[in-house]
Amino acid sequence: MVDERIAARRAALRAEARRRRLRRSFVIMAFIVVVVAMLSIDRAGGFDIVAIEVVGTDRLDSDRVRAVADVETGASIVWLRTGTVEYRVASLPLVRTAEVTRTMRRTVEVRVTERVPVVQVRGRGDDVVVDRDGVIIDVVGADDAALPVIDVRGTVPASGDTVDAHRGVANAFDVWRGLSGPLRAEVLAVRVDGPEDATAVLRRGIDVRIGRADRMPEKVRAIGAVLADIGEVPVAQIDVRAPAAPVVIPTGE
């Protein structure tokens, strides 16, 4: 009786093994058929790329994106390496992110998210704009006139660099980022007076010497307290490099 059960169990195991082999063989054959069919269609031009569409550009020229993407119409969409194309497009200073997808219309879609300028840097050479990450993304355009300014005496960093390429600009940029929202709205420019010396120029004509971009919460509170205290009194400069003991210099001194 025991031998019959063992024999039946072994027979069942052999049958299951055969079924697994058949399923595996079927999957392999189906895969081969699909691959052969795709290769045939590909050779016949059925998977040729017919267009490259660029989506999401505003400041950036779409033709520039296509050139950097380096995807040719007529090439096979099957063998397109989307990650490589994304890497190339993301190398553009103005591009924050890039996503490349294939569509059923044999079109390659390149969707970009542009970096948004938040401040402009003015100095020798071309004035440039900077995004919130400190990336120099472009030269100043007509739509950038309302952006706050970082004034530097020397040459400004080039597009594609970051503000870290210039110590004074990097410090001024960190000062600007460290200002509170209401105070930042009152700042016309941040002047670079040295590698670690920045001065904020307020709309009311007051220079606020901040120095290094450290202890910014304390310095912001000190600026707010002094501005509230002086009211409409004419003041030339407020020095908060030592925020616990701010110095106020009246106009004419």
Side-chain angles (χ1 to χ4, degrees):
M1 191 69 176
V2 174
D3 292 341
E4 291 179 0
R5 287 198 298 269
I6 293 174
R9 176 59 178 165
R10 288 175 178 171
L13 290 173
R14 286 194 295 270
E16 179 60 28
R18 283 194 299 271
R19 285 193 292 271
R20 284 199 300 267
R21 286 195 297 271
L22 285 172
R23 284 196 297 268
R24 188 162 55 246
S25 298
F26 176 77
V27 170
I28 292 172
M29 288 301 296
F31 176 76
I32 292 172
V33 169
V34 170
V35 170
V36 170
M38 289 182 66
L39 288 173
S40 298
I41 296 172
D42 190 36
R43 290 195 183 108
F47 290 130
D48 287 357
I49 297 171
V50 297
I52 298 94
E53 293 182 353
V54 178
V55 181
T57 56
D58 177 23
R59 196 180 189 105
L60 192 60
D61 182 62
S62 297
D63 289 337
R64 173 65 173 154
V65 176
R66 290 188 184 90
V68 172
D70 195 23
V71 177
E72 296 182 0
T73 56
S76 173
I77 201 169
V78 174
W79 310 114
L80 178 69
R81 300 175 65 180
T82 57
T84 301
V85 180
E86 289 171 351
Y87 178 80
R88 288 197 291 257
V89 174
S91 69
L92 291 169
L94 265 168
V95 175
R96 186 174 182 83
T97 62
E99 182 182 5
V100 177
T101 55
R102 306 175 183 88
T103 74
M104 297 299 292
R105 297 176 288 112
R106 293 186 291 160
T107 298
V108 176
E109 181 182 277
V110 183
R111 182 174 295 274
V112 301
T113 301
E114 292 187 355
R115 294 182 180 275
V116 178
V118 295
V119 68
Q120 51 185 316
V121 181
R122 293 179 177 173
R124 288 202 303 266
D126 290 332
D127 299 336
V128 295
V129 285
V130 185
D131 85 329
R132 66 187 185 198
D133 297 323
V135 177
I136 314 298
I137 59 176
D138 199 6
V139 296
V140 170
D143 296 333
D144 303 319
L147 293 176
V149 176
I150 293 176
D151 275 321
V152 59
R153 295 188 182 93
T155 303
V156 303
S159 295
D161 286 340
T162 67
V163 293
D164 293 335
H166 189 296
R167 284 180 59 196
V169 173
N171 181 66
F173 184 69
D174 287 341
V175 164
W176 180 80
R177 287 197 300 187
L179 298 174
S180 63
L183 181 57
R184 189 184 296 165
E186 291 299 315
V187 173
L188 283 176
V190 179
R191 189 174 67 242
V192 177
D193 294 325
E196 295 183 338
D197 193 1
T199 298
V201 181
L202 304 187
R203 295 183 185 277
R204 65 178 76 180
I206 300 175
D207 286 356
V208 181
R209 192 169 183 185
I210 297 173
R212 294 177 57 189
D214 63 351
R215 304 170 65 187
M216 286 303 297
E218 296 175 58
K219 292 178 179 180
V220 167
R221 286 194 294 270
I223 295 168
V226 171
L227 290 176
D229 186 55
I230 63 175
E232 299 300 322
V233 176
V235 168
Q237 186 183 87
I238 301 169
D239 190 333
V240 295
R241 286 176 294 172
V247 176
V248 179
I249 300 175
T251 301
E253 293 190 10

